[in-house]
C-alpha cells in the first residue's frame, strides 16, 4: 500500500429549406436562403462527395440522413460543440464534488457517510446488488427487502424508484468481471493517515471502487445533459449561437440550475436529463406537420426514462400537458397542432402504463394529477381535477393534496410541517429572483416572452391575408412560454423545483438569437453584436458565481457518526433493529447493515405513520407511551440526537413545536428528548454516547404487546 497524506464557419449556405425540410434534422439550423456560387464548394464538402476520399463513410451517413453536404457539415459542427459542452459540464461537476469532499481520499465508510439522508438509502440498494453472490440474487434481495421497514418485507423497486441503481449495479458487476478476467487493475488504494489521534484508513480511487463508479456515471449522465441543452438551444433558436447562450446561461446560474454536484444519488440526478431529451423531442413534434412514428415512440421512451427514476416526475408532466393543451382550447390553432396534440397522449398513456407495470403497481402513479390529465384529455381538460379527486379517495393518497392545501391556507399537520419546515419545500426565497436579475437571466426571459406574446397576438388575433404566418412556429413558442409560466409557479411554491425553472429559463434565453423573433433588429451581424453584448454583461456576474463555486474547498469528516457506526457493527447482533432520525437511519442501514423501522423516503402513508411513532421521542409525550410504541415495533435500539430536539430552521419548526400542532394537550411540557438526554433511566438504558449521538436500549416487548 502507498502511504498518502490527506490534502486540502462555413461562409456559403444552401438554399433556404421550408419547414418540412428543416424538420428532417432537428439539429441543423436553418440556412439564410442565399444560393451557392459555382466553384465555392469547401474542401470538406468535396471529400464528402468523393467516394475515395478520407471519409468515405460520411457520404453513406449523409445520404441516410437526407442532408446536403453543407447541412451535414453544420450537423457535425453542432455535435462537436455539443460534445465539448458536455465534457466541460462533466469536468465542472466532478471537480466541484471532489473539491467539496476530497472524495477520492475518503475511506469506504466515509464515502458512504457522505451520502446523507435519502442519498444513503438509494445507494444502499446499489451496494446490496454488487455485494450479492450474483446479480439475480441481489435483485431478489432488493425486491424482498427485510431491512428497510422491519419487520415488513417490501419490494423496494416498487416503492423507491431504484431502476438507476439496478442498471448501475449490473454495469459495475460486468465491468469488474471483465477487468478481472483480463487481469487489469480497476483501482488504486493507499493508506491515509488522518491525524488527530484517529486511526489510519484505506482509501481507493478508480472505477473499481463502488462509490467512485457510482458518482462517475451520475456526472457523465449530467454531462450528456449539457450536450442536449446545447442541441436544444440550437434547434429552438435556429442558431448555434443560441445553443451557446443556453450553455453559458446554465453555467452562469449553475447554483440555481442543479444540485447534482452536491447530491449525486438523488432521483433528479438520474431523471432530469431525460426530461431535457423529452422536451427536445416534443419541440420537434410540435414544429413538424407530420411527425414520424419514430419521433413519437422516441418521445414515449424518453418519457418513461424520466418517470421511472423519480416520483415527482408526474407533476412536471402535468404542467407539460397543461402547456400543450391551452393553445388548443384558447387560441385559434391549426389542424396540424390538433393532430399532434391528440396523438401524443396515446403514446404517453402507454408510457404511464408501462411505468406502472415496471413499478409493480405503484398506486402513486395512478393517483397523480398527471394520470388524470391523460385520461381526461380525450373528453375535456376541465375534468382533470374532478377525476383526480375521485382516484385520490379511491386509493387514499392525500399527502400531496394536503401539502398544496397548506401552501394556500392555514392548514397544517405533522406530515405537512415535516415538508414545509425543510427549506427545499418552502416557498422560493426572494434572493433567487435577485440572482436571476444579476445575471440578466430574468430580464432576458421577460423580453423573450413579451416578444412572443406580441408575435402570437399579431399572428392569431390581427392576422391579415398576405402577411407571413407560420403556425407551427407559434405552437412551439406558445408551448415553451406556457411551460415557463408553469415552472415559475412550481418553483414559487416549492423551492426545490427551481431545478426545472432555471434550466428552462436558459433554454428560453436562446431565443434572443432567433431571427424569427428578433429579425427586426437588422441583419445577422447586428443581432450577433447584440447577443455578444448581452453575454458580456452576463459574464460579469456569471464569472463571479463560477469563482464562488470553484472556491468551495472542503474535506468530508463526521467522526461522531463514524464512532456510532463502528460501535453498532462491533457491539450489536446483525439482526438488531434500530429507530431514530430518518437521515441517520439511512446511514445505519447502508454502513452497518442493520434492520431499521423508518427511513427518509417519506412518500408512503405507512412509513409516515411509522415515522410519527418514532419521532414521538421528540414530542412532549410521556416516556411510557413512547417506550410502548417502540416495543410494539420490535425496536431494540433508539439513536437519540440532541440536535433534533433543539434544532429550529425557523420559528415553529423545531420538532417539539411541530408536535405541539399534532399533540396540543401536552404543549408546555418539557420535551421527552431533553429528559432522555439528561438521564434515560428507568425506561431506557444508555449503551453508547458521544457528543452527538446517544444510543438507548429498548426493553424487549412482552408477547401481549406484539
Amino acid at each position: 500500500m502507498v502511504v498518502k497524506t490527506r490534502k486540502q464557419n462555413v461562409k456559403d449556405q444552401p438554399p433556404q429549406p421550408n419547414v418540412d425540410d428543416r424538420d428532417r434534422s432537428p439539429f441543423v439550423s436553418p440556412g439564410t436562403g442565399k444560393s451557392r456560387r459555382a466553384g465555392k464548394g469547401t474542401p470538406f464538402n468535396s471529400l464528402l462527395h468523393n467516394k475515395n476520399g478520407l471519409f468515405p463513410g460520411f457520404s453513406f451517413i449523409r445520404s441516410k440522413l437526407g442532408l446536403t453536404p453543407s447541412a451535414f457539415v453544420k450537423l457535425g459542427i453542432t455535435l462537436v460543440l455539443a460534445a465539448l459542452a458536455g465534457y466541460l459540464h462533466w469536468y465542472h461537476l466532478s471537480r466541484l464534488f471532489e473539491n467539496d469532499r476530497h472524495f477520492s481520499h475518503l475511506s469506504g465508510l466515509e464515502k458512504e457517510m457522505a451520502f446523507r439522508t435519502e442519498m444513503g438509502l438509494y445507494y444502499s440498494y446499489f451496494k446490496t446488488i454488487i455485494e450479492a453472490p450474483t446479480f439475480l440474487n441481489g435483485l431478489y434481495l432488493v425486491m424482498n427487502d427485510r431491512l428497510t421497514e422491519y419487520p415488513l418485507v417490501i419490494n423496494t423497486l416498487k416503492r423507491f424508484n431504484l431502476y438507476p441503481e439496478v442498471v448501475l449495479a449490473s454495469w459495475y458487476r460486468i465491468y469488474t468481471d471483465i477487468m478481472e478476467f483480463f487481469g487489469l487493475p480497476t483501482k488504486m488504494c493507499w493508506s491515509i493517515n488522518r491525524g488527530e489521534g484517529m486511526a489510519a484508513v484505506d482509501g481507493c480511487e478508480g472505477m473499481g471502487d463502488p462509490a467512485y463508479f457510482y458518482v462517475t456515471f451520475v456526472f457523465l449522465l449530467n454531462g450528456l445533459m449539457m450536450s442536449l441543452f446545447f442541441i436544444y438551444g440550437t434547434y429552438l433558436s435556429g442558431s448555434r449561437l443560441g445553443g451557446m447562450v443556453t450553455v453559458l446561461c446554465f453555467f452562469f446560474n449553475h447554483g440555481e440550475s442543479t444540485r447534482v454536484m452536491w447530491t449525486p444519488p438523488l432521483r433528479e440526478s438520474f431523471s432530469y436529463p431525460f426530461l431535457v431529451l423529452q422536451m427536445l423531442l416534443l419541440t420537434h413534434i410540435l414544429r413538424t406537420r407530420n411527425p414520424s412514428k419514430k419521433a413519437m415512440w422516441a418521445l414515449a421512451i424518453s418519457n418513461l426514462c424520466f418517470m421511472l427514476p423519480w416520483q415527482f416526475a408526474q407533476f412536471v408532466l402535468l404542467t407539460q400537458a397543461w402547456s400543450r393543451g391551452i393553445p388548443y382550447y384558447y387560441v385559434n390553432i391549426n389542424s396540424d397542432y390538433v393532430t399532434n396534440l391528440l396523438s401524443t397522449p396515446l403514446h404517453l398513456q402507454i408510457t404511464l402504463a408501462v411505468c406502472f407495470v415496471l413499478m409493480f403497481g405503484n398506486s402513486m402513479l395512478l393517483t397523480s394529477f398527471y394520470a388524470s390529465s391523460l385520461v381526461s384529455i380525450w373528453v375535456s381538460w376541465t375534468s382533470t381535477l374532478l377525476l383526480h379527486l375521485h382516484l385520490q379517495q379511491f386509493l387514499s393518497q392525500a399527502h400531496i393534496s394536503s401539502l398544496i392545501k397548506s401552501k394556500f391556507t392555514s392548514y397544517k399537520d405533522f406530515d405537512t410541517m415535516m415538508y414545509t419546515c425543510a427549506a427545499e419545500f418552502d416557498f422560493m426565497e426572494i434572493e433567487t429572483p435577485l440572482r436571476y436579475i444579476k445575471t440578466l437571466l430574468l430580464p432576458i426571459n421577460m423580453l423573450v416572452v413579451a416578444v412572443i406574446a406580441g408575435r402570437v397576438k399579431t399572428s392569431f388575433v390581427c392576422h391579415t391575408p398576405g402577411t407571413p404566418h407560420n403556425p407551427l412556429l407559434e405552437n412551439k413558442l406558445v408551448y415553451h412560454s406556457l411551460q415557463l409560466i408553469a415552472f415559475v409557479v412550481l418553483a414559487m411554491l416549492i423551492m426545490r423545483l427551481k431545478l426545472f425553472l432555471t434550466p428552462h429559463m436558459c433554454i428560453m434565453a436562446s431565443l434572443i438569437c432567433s431571427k424569427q423573433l428578433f429579425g427586426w433588429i437588422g441583419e445577422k451581424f447586428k443581432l450577433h453584436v447584440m447577443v455578444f453584448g448581452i453575454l458580456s454583461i452576463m459574464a460579469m456576474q456569471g464569472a463571479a458565481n463560477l469563482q464562488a463555486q470553484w472556491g468551495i474547498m472542503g474535506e468530508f469528516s463526521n467522526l461522531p457518526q463514524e464512532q456510532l457506526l463502528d460501535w453498532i457493527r462491533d457491539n450489536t447482533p446483525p439482526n438488531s433493529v434500530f429507530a431514530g432520525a430518518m437521515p441517520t437511519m439511512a446511514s445505519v442501514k447502508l454502513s452497518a447493515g442493520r434492520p431499521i423501522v423508518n427511513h427518509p423516503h417519506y412518500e408512503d402513508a405507512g412509513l409516515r405513520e411509522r415515522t410519527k411513532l418514532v419521532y414521538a421521542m421528540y414530542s412532549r409525550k410521556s416516556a411510557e407511551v413512547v417506550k410502548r410504541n417502540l416495543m410494539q415495533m420490535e425496536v431494540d435500539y433508539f439513536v437519540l440526537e440532541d440536535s433534533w430536539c433543539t434544532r429550529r430552521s425557523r420559528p415553529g419548526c423545531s420538532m417539539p413545536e411541530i408536535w405541539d400542532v399534532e399533540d396540543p394537550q401536552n404543549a408546555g411540557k418539557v420535551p421527552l428528548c431533553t429528559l432522555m438526554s439528561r438521564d434515560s433511566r428507568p425506561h431506557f438504558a444508555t449503551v453508547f454516547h458521544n457528543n452527538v449521538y446517544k444510543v438507548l436500549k429498548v426493553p424487549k416487548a412482552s408477547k401481549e404487546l406484539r
Side-chain angles (χ1 to χ4, degrees):
M1 303 280 281
V2 178
V3 178
K4 254 193 182 180
T5 304
R6 196 188 286 267
K7 309 176 195 174
Q8 287 298 356
N9 294 322
V10 180
K11 182 176 178 181
D12 299 306
Q13 303 290 340
Q16 171 70 39
N18 58 32
V19 174
D20 290 329
D21 291 334
R22 285 200 304 269
D23 292 332
R24 298 177 72 177
S25 176
F27 313 131
V28 179
S29 57
T32 63
K34 296 179 181 179
S35 302
R36 183 185 303 279
R37 288 186 292 176
K40 288 291 184 179
T42 64
F44 192 87
N45 283 342
S46 65
L47 285 175
L48 295 178
H49 283 293
N50 185 0
K51 294 182 179 180
N52 299 319
L54 295 176
F55 308 104
F58 284 1
S59 219
F60 174 78
I61 297 173
R62 179 179 62 77
S63 63
K64 283 293 184 181
L65 293 175
L67 300 175
T68 65
S70 179
F72 186 70
V73 171
K74 290 180 181 179
L75 175 60
I77 294 173
T78 300
L79 294 180
V80 169
L81 292 175
L84 177 60
Y87 170 79
L88 290 175
H89 194 230
W90 165 78
Y91 181 81
H92 182 64
L93 294 174
S94 301
R95 296 320 303 169
L96 289 178
F97 184 72
E98 176 66 17
N99 291 345
D100 180 55
R101 289 172 170 81
H102 209 184
F103 195 73
S104 62
H105 286 60
L106 297 180
S107 67
L109 176 58
E110 287 175 314
K111 287 176 180 175
E112 291 178 354
M113 289 192 300
F115 297 144
R116 282 190 53 76
T117 189
E118 58 185 303
M119 294 188 288
L121 182 69
Y122 298 134
Y123 181 78
S124 70
Y125 301 108
F126 171 80
K127 181 180 178 182
T128 296
I129 297 175
I130 65 173
E131 291 184 349
T134 66
F135 172 76
L136 291 179
N137 181 256
L139 191 60
Y140 175 84
L141 291 176
V142 299
M143 293 176 65
N144 298 271
D145 181 82
R146 300 174 181 272
L147 300 180
T148 306
E149 293 182 8
Y150 184 88
L152 302 178
V153 178
I154 63 173
N155 182 349
T156 58
L157 274 184
K158 175 181 179 180
R159 289 275 299 280
F160 304 143
N161 303 82
L162 295 178
Y163 278 97
E165 280 66 31
V166 172
V167 172
L168 286 182
S170 67
W171 290 356
Y172 178 83
R173 295 185 71 111
I174 292 172
Y175 168 75
T176 52
D177 287 347
I178 291 175
M179 298 299 281
E180 183 180 0
F181 178 80
F182 288 104
L184 300 174
T186 60
K187 58 185 176 181
M188 180 176 65
C189 299
W190 48 77
S191 180
I192 302 173
N193 182 7
R194 300 188 291 174
E196 301 178 3
M198 300 169 63
V201 295
D202 291 339
C204 296
E205 182 178 11
M207 296 295 282
D209 180 75
Y212 198 92
F213 181 95
Y214 185 95
V215 298
T216 296
F217 272 95
V218 174
F219 295 148
L220 284 173
L221 177 61
N222 283 266
L224 179 61
M225 179 195 72
M226 188 57 69
S227 297
L228 288 173
F229 266 120
F230 180 84
I231 294 171
Y232 196 167
T234 298
Y235 183 55
L236 186 64
S237 65
S239 166
R240 281 185 292 272
L241 183 58
M244 185 184 301
V245 169
T246 296
V247 170
L248 289 176
C249 284
F250 196 101
F251 274 102
F252 291 161
N253 298 272
H254 200 268
E256 308 297 321
S257 301
T258 182
R259 55 179 183 168
V260 64
M261 58 282 190
W262 316 130
T263 56
L266 289 187
R267 300 301 82 187
E268 65 209 46
S269 303
F270 296 99
S271 180
Y272 185 73
F274 291 102
L275 176 64
V276 179
L277 175 60
Q278 190 256 21
M279 293 179 69
L280 172 60
L281 291 168
L282 181 60
T283 302
H284 172 63
I285 289 170
L286 292 179
R287 179 177 171 173
T288 308
R289 296 189 183 278
N290 297 297
S292 65
K293 290 184 179 180
K294 290 182 180 179
M296 302 299 290
W297 283 114
L299 175 69
I301 293 171
S302 62
N303 207 58
L304 178 65
C305 293
F306 172 53
M307 293 179 66
L308 274 179
W310 199 20
Q311 67 271 24
F312 286 125
Q314 50 171 302
F315 301 107
V316 179
L317 294 175
L318 172 67
T319 67
Q320 193 177 87
W322 172 81
S323 302
R324 294 198 320 269
I326 280 188
Y328 169 61
Y329 283 99
Y330 298 103
V331 185
N332 181 24
I333 297 293
N334 70 323
S335 59
D336 293 311
Y337 183 84
V338 176
T339 301
N340 293 354
L341 174 72
L342 295 179
S343 60
T344 52
L346 175 61
H347 293 77
L348 299 184
Q349 286 168 353
I350 295 173
T351 299
L352 181 66
V354 172
C355 190
F356 182 74
V357 171
L358 292 178
M359 293 293 291
F360 300 90
N362 189 315
S363 61
M364 189 175 179
L365 290 171
L366 291 188
T367 60
S368 66
F369 287 100
Y370 174 60
S372 304
S373 71
L374 287 183
V375 175
S376 63
I377 192 173
W378 298 101
V379 184
S380 171
W381 289 82
T382 56
S383 66
T384 298
L385 181 59
L386 293 177
L387 182 57
H388 166 74
L389 293 176
H390 173 72
L391 288 174
Q392 177 181 286
Q393 290 175 357
F394 181 70
L395 294 172
S396 302
Q397 291 286 344
H399 69 290
I400 297 298
S401 297
S402 297
L403 177 60
I404 296 174
K405 180 181 177 181
S406 70
K407 293 286 185 177
F408 297 102
T409 68
S410 59
Y411 175 81
K412 61 175 74 172
D413 60 22
F414 183 87
D415 292 331
T416 59
M417 292 190 71
M418 288 293 290
Y419 279 110
T420 57
C421 282
E424 59 267 31
F425 285 96
D426 199 1
F427 289 103
M428 178 190 287
E429 56 185 359
I430 190 63
E431 289 80 5
T432 298
L434 293 179
R435 287 191 282 264
Y436 291 153
I437 292 173
K438 289 180 180 178
T439 59
L440 296 187
L441 187 61
L442 181 57
I444 289 173
N445 272 259
M446 293 176 67
L447 172 64
V448 168
V449 171
V451 173
I452 290 174
R455 173 78 177 244
V456 170
K457 179 180 178 181
T458 301
S459 297
F460 293 111
V461 179
C462 306
H463 178 67
T464 57
T467 59
H469 179 54
N470 185 351
L472 292 177
L473 174 65
E474 317 306 339
N475 298 343
K476 178 182 66 174
L477 297 179
V478 169
Y479 159 67
H480 281 87
S481 299
L482 292 174
Q483 186 68 77
L484 177 65
I485 294 172
F487 285 159
V488 168
V489 174
L490 287 180
M492 291 179 65
L493 292 176
I494 300 176
M495 186 177 67
R496 178 181 181 181
L497 298 184
K498 68 181 179 182
L499 73 94
F500 296 112
L501 171 61
T502 313
H504 197 71
M505 292 174 73
C506 298
I507 286 292
M508 292 294 287
S510 70
L511 288 171
I512 64 172
C513 303
S514 171
K515 290 198 301 180
Q516 288 91 345
L517 288 180
F518 291 93
W520 48 269
I521 291 177
E523 58 186 15
K524 185 196 295 188
F525 176 76
K526 291 182 179 180
L527 179 60
H528 286 183
V529 169
M530 181 199 74
V531 172
F532 280 112
I534 292 174
L535 289 177
S536 299
I537 299 173
M538 293 178 69
M540 291 188 289
Q541 183 61 43
N545 292 344
L546 289 173
Q547 289 288 348
Q549 281 195 323
W550 296 334
I552 297 175
M553 302 296 292
E555 189 169 5
F556 178 84
S557 180
N558 191 342
L559 182 59
Q561 188 175 87
E562 184 176 341
Q563 293 171 340
L564 168 70
L565 296 173
D566 284 339
W567 182 87
I568 291 174
R569 292 192 295 194
D570 295 339
N571 296 277
T572 64
N575 61 349
S576 300
V577 183
F578 282 77
M582 292 184 286
T584 305
M585 290 303 98
S587 295
V588 169
K589 179 188 180 298
L590 168 60
S591 300
R594 299 302 190 262
I596 57 178
V597 298
N598 64 309
H599 53 78
H601 200 280
Y602 205 61
E603 305 306 313
D604 180 71
L607 190 276
R608 292 195 297 274
E609 287 301 318
R610 284 167 157 259
T611 299
K612 186 184 293 186
L613 292 176
V614 171
Y615 278 24
M617 182 67 76
Y618 300 101
S619 71
R620 306 180 197 273
K621 295 180 182 293
S622 68
E624 189 62 43
V625 170
V626 175
K627 180 178 72 173
R628 184 167 60 250
N629 291 339
L630 294 175
M631 292 167 66
Q632 288 177 337
M633 290 190 289
E634 303 181 35
V635 173
D636 296 311
Y637 298 95
F638 186 95
V639 180
L640 179 67
E641 300 176 54
D642 287 340
S643 61
W644 278 75
C645 199
T646 59
R647 183 174 57 196
R648 193 187 198 202
S649 58
R650 65 172 186 268
C653 278
S654 68
M655 283 303 304
E657 289 173 312
I658 292 176
W659 266 108
D660 287 344
V661 175
E662 189 77 18
D663 186 29
Q665 62 269 29
N666 285 314
K669 295 182 180 180
V670 178
L672 177 60
C673 50
T674 300
L675 298 176
M676 292 297 101
S677 64
R678 296 172 185 168
D679 188 357
S680 61
R681 296 172 298 180
H683 301 285
F684 305 97
T686 301
V687 292
F688 170 85
H689 70 89
N690 58 24
N691 61 339
V692 174
Y693 302 98
K694 191 173 188 177
V695 179
L696 309 181
K697 185 171 177 58
V698 181
K700 288 289 185 182
S702 59
K703 290 185 179 179
E704 56 269 20
L705 280 178
R706 295 193 176 189

